Amino acid sequence: MRFGVLLIIAIVLSFSAKGQINTDQVVASGLQSFDEDDYVMAMQYFNLAIQSKPNQAAPYLYRAIAKFNLEDFAGAEKDASHAIELNPFLKDVFEVRGAIRHKLGKYNEAIDDYSEALEVLPQNKYLLYNLAMLYETKGSKDESNATF
């Protein structure tokens, strides 16, 4: 972990010397940290990308996923919602925010998000299963059965 923090500092210093941060490379490094299940390090990379270019939706989406994996559901929901504000056409965010809201017990909002994601991915079995489970949790057995 300490090596990772030093690596981030070195990246910041090297980019600061050049005057510009390559956010694509920083995000790619964050995604590499995802592959290693190092969500804290991934968040540090995404924070750096957000700091450099706060109007890009993808780093907020990825940071939301990292927060979700660290069980910071409120922070994850905030980041996912902000990503949607920045780019409502990034449909993956709706799937992520639906999962977050499901964990938070915000079932109606989660259903809305999953439904939005299903407009683009109508055959996604994960989305359909989660939507059916939400209907079941809410006591809407007919809707749950129809979704299954």
Side-chain angles (χ1 to χ4, degrees):
M1 178 67 110
R2 183 156 172 75
F3 173 74
V5 173
L6 293 174
L7 180 62
I8 293 275
I9 292 169
I11 290 171
V12 170
L13 291 176
S14 70
F15 286 129
S16 295
K18 295 177 186 175
Q20 187 118 7
I21 292 178
N22 181 340
T23 54
D24 292 337
Q25 182 59 46
V26 172
V27 169
S29 296
L31 293 173
Q32 179 64 38
S33 293
F34 267 160
D35 289 342
E36 299 165 5
D37 294 329
D38 190 348
Y39 303 113
V40 173
M41 179 59 63
M43 278 183 31
Q44 291 176 359
Y45 281 114
F46 302 137
N47 288 339
L48 183 59
I50 289 167
Q51 201 171 26
S52 175
K53 293 188 179 175
N55 294 325
Q56 289 187 345
Y60 285 99
L61 165 61
Y62 298 138
R63 189 170 73 177
I65 295 168
K67 287 180 178 182
F68 179 86
N69 282 296
L70 293 170
E71 299 184 4
D72 175 9
F73 302 122
E77 181 184 26
K78 183 178 176 183
D79 279 351
S81 294
H82 191 67
I84 290 168
E85 288 173 21
L86 292 171
N87 185 353
F89 302 105
L90 190 63
K91 296 298 182 180
D92 292 346
V93 182
F94 288 98
E95 180 178 0
V96 170
R97 191 173 70 175
I100 294 164
R101 287 178 165 175
H102 189 167
K103 284 285 192 179
L104 288 170
K106 297 181 177 182
Y107 301 134
N108 290 330
E109 293 92 338
I111 287 170
D112 291 343
D113 285 337
Y114 284 143
S115 297
E116 183 75 28
L118 280 166
E119 286 183 18
V120 176
L121 303 165
Q123 300 302 316
N124 184 309
K125 292 179 183 177
Y126 172 78
L127 285 169
L128 290 167
Y129 175 80
N130 281 329
L131 185 58
M133 293 306 296
L134 281 168
Y135 284 133
E136 182 78 24
T137 300
K138 286 185 53 180
S140 304
K141 294 197 186 285
D142 290 340
E143 289 175 307
S144 177
N145 289 337
T147 304
F148 273 122

